[in-house]
Amino acid sequence: MAWTQSGEFVESDVVEWTEAIWPPNRSRRRKKSRPWGKQKVTAQITAIDGDFVKLTVLRSAIVENTIGSALKLHKVGTTITKKRQTLLRGEPERLLWSEEDVRKVLLHPQ
């Protein structure tokens, strides 16, 4: 299920998105760097703090490699923090809960 621009996040949601893998910023070249590849990340939202979302990585896989050598992925189990807009840029998909009605109650408490 793709997210709308409003991006209603709920703690415990599991999301999947694609993001660029950038080279380490070691030199001060004036040339604009290009991404080395792309990775597909699956993570669970553990906290929401304003515009920032904390996620625990469940799975990470390379989907594109433009340099031909090994790329550094997010490690499973690590916690990463992303800005809401950055997540939405990666066209995230929310994996469905087994109890979707419970999620609706969390989103819209009475």
Side-chain angles (χ1 to χ4, degrees):
M1 165 185 269
W3 250 311
T4 61
Q5 211 42 34
S6 67
E8 289 184 352
F9 295 107
V10 174
E11 284 185 28
S12 298
D13 272 347
V14 176
V15 293
E16 195 171 68
W17 74 96
T18 303
E19 66 181 24
I21 300 172
W22 294 94
N25 195 7
R26 292 190 181 145
S27 65
R28 295 191 177 262
R29 286 186 261 160
R30 298 213 181 254
K31 191 168 78 171
K32 188 175 180 182
S33 63
R34 296 177 185 260
W36 283 0
K38 292 183 181 179
Q39 66 180 324
K40 187 167 204 135
V41 183
T42 305
Q44 183 171 19
I45 297 174
T46 56
I48 301 169
D49 185 18
D51 275 348
F52 293 94
V53 180
K54 272 195 174 176
L55 305 119
T56 300
V57 177
L58 302 175
R59 184 173 48 226
S60 181
I62 295 173
V63 291
E64 183 181 314
N65 185 342
T66 59
I67 63 168
S69 61
L71 297 174
K72 186 176 178 184
L73 298 171
H74 292 303
K75 289 186 179 175
V76 173
T78 58
T79 301
I80 57 175
T81 303
K82 296 281 182 184
K83 201 167 184 182
R84 182 184 303 260
Q85 284 306 111
T86 305
L87 272 179
L88 291 174
R89 193 178 313 137
E91 297 177 7
E93 291 186 27
R94 179 179 65 82
L95 304 183
L96 296 176
W97 288 28
S98 58
E99 301 287 329
E100 277 294 310
D101 52 334
V102 173
R103 183 181 186 275
K104 288 178 186 172
V105 170
L106 290 173
L107 263 177
H108 307 289
Q110 305 232 346

